[in-house]
Coordinates of all heavy atoms in Angstrom, one line a residue:
R59 N -18.4 38.7 -1.9 CA -18.1 39.8 -0.9 C -17.0 40.6 -1.5 O -17.0 41.9 -1.4 CB -17.6 39.2 0.4 CG -17.3 40.2 1.5 CD -16.8 39.6 2.8 NE -17.7 38.7 3.4 CZ -17.6 37.4 3.6 NH1 -16.5 36.8 3.0 NH2 -18.4 36.7 4.2
V99 N -9.7 11.1 -14.5 CA -10.6 10.9 -13.4 C -11.4 9.7 -13.5 O -11.6 9.0 -12.5 CB -11.5 12.2 -13.2 CG1 -12.4 12.0 -12.1 CG2 -10.6 13.4 -13.0
A102 N -9.3 6.9 -12.2 CA -9.1 7.0 -10.8 C -10.4 6.5 -10.0 O -10.3 5.8 -9.0 CB -8.8 8.4 -10.4
A163 N -10.1 15.1 6.6 CA -9.3 14.0 7.3 C -10.1 13.5 8.5 O -10.1 12.3 8.8 CB -8.0 14.5 7.6
R184 N -2.3 25.6 -0.8 CA -1.9 26.2 0.5 C -2.8 25.7 1.6 O -2.3 25.5 2.8 CB -2.0 27.8 0.4 CG -1.0 28.4 -0.6 CD -1.0 29.9 -0.6 NE 0.0 30.4 -1.5 CZ -0.3 30.9 -2.7 NH1 -1.6 31.0 -3.1 NH2 0.6 31.3 -3.5
K192 N 0.3 16.0 2.4 CA 1.1 16.0 1.2 C 0.2 16.6 0.1 O -1.0 16.5 0.1 CB 1.5 14.6 0.9 CG 2.6 14.5 -0.2 CD 2.9 13.0 -0.6 CE 3.4 12.2 0.6 NZ 4.8 12.6 1.0

Side-chain angles (χ1 to χ4, degrees):
R59 184 186 295 114
V99 177
R184 294 186 182 104
K192 192 183 297 290

